[in-house]
Amino acid sequence: MSKVPLKAAGAPPALAALILIDVITDYAFPGGARLRRAAPPALARIVALRRRLQAAEVPVIYANDNRGRWRSDVRELASRSVAAGAPAIAGLLPGRSDYVVLKPKQSGFYATPLAELLHHLGVRTVVLAGLAGDGCVLCTAIDAHLRGYRVIVPRDCVASISPARNRRALQILAESFGIDTRAGARITRRTLQATGGARAD
């Protein structure tokens, strides 16, 4: 996890968090070239979603694959992504107020401190966006649902190596788990307040 200070003692709970899954990547894995071609529209919408939710005081958490590099950190991952010319990476790099969790497997919860961080922040609703919709986003969303979180996966803020695979993953989330897959533009402060997920003014 990054060294960004946690929520100050006595501060009101965040209630919602935006979790960005594997948006920092060099695409150097099987299927990566196809995912790289499919990702830019979703990544552009993620940048806009992040900006809007940060303005609503929603914390941003990066859950990023360590790609088997156990001595790695987010700075190294970002450097590799920038060097590889990853699309839209400039607008997706973590800021000083963001949190970073490195994960060894598909789910952001598996063998990471993500659950403890969400508990510390008082989060009840998680908005998940990133790559790939039918892999790490799917696994993290199901894991969050099983842990009792209100889960939103904006359908236009995730990408997979093919549109068909992305649609199938979103369909599973919506139909089998009742997960909200509204478009990213429809996720606002008011939306999160209505679902118990944002701090009131």
Side-chain angles (χ1 to χ4, degrees):
M1 198 160 56
S2 70
K3 295 182 180 179
V4 177
L6 295 179
K7 176 175 62 66
L15 299 183
L18 172 62
I19 303 179
L20 301 182
I21 301 170
D22 290 338
V23 296
I24 301 175
T25 179
D26 58 7
Y27 299 92
F29 49 81
R34 294 178 65 190
L35 183 58
R36 178 174 178 151
R37 290 193 294 271
L43 293 176
R45 287 187 285 266
I46 289 171
V47 171
L49 177 64
R50 176 190 177 197
R51 186 180 304 118
R52 189 166 61 255
L53 294 191
Q54 279 186 319
E57 299 184 0
V58 173
V60 177
I61 302 170
Y62 287 75
N64 221 93
D65 198 329
N66 69 2
R67 302 288 308 283
R69 298 182 177 91
W70 291 96
R71 292 190 177 92
S72 184
D73 59 27
V74 69
R75 289 178 294 276
E76 180 183 337
L77 292 172
S79 295
R80 292 175 63 87
S81 298
V82 171
I89 190 64
L92 290 170
L93 295 176
R96 291 180 60 82
S97 63
D98 298 332
Y99 301 92
V100 178
V101 172
L102 295 183
K103 59 185 182 68
K105 297 293 183 180
Q106 288 88 346
S107 173
F109 290 93
Y110 181 79
T112 78
L114 179 57
E116 184 61 27
L117 174 59
L118 293 174
H119 174 74
H120 178 82
L121 294 173
V123 168
R124 297 199 302 261
T125 296
V126 291
V127 180
L128 307 180
L131 312 173
D134 62 337
C136 296
V137 176
L138 178 71
C139 290
T140 305
I142 293 172
D143 221 348
H145 172 78
L146 295 177
R147 291 166 183 264
Y149 292 99
R150 163 75 169 166
V151 182
I152 303 174
V153 179
R155 60 180 176 268
D156 55 348
C157 294
V158 297
S160 305
I161 65 172
S162 74
R165 288 174 61 158
N166 211 53
R167 286 193 300 270
R168 186 163 62 244
L170 290 166
Q171 185 176 15
I172 290 170
L173 291 175
E175 295 183 0
S176 298
F177 298 95
I179 287 173
D180 188 338
T181 60
R182 72 182 67 203
R186 295 183 56 212
I187 301 173
T188 63
R189 177 190 288 269
R190 181 173 296 180
T191 298
L192 296 177
Q193 287 173 342
T195 60
R199 223 186 297 174
D201 291 328

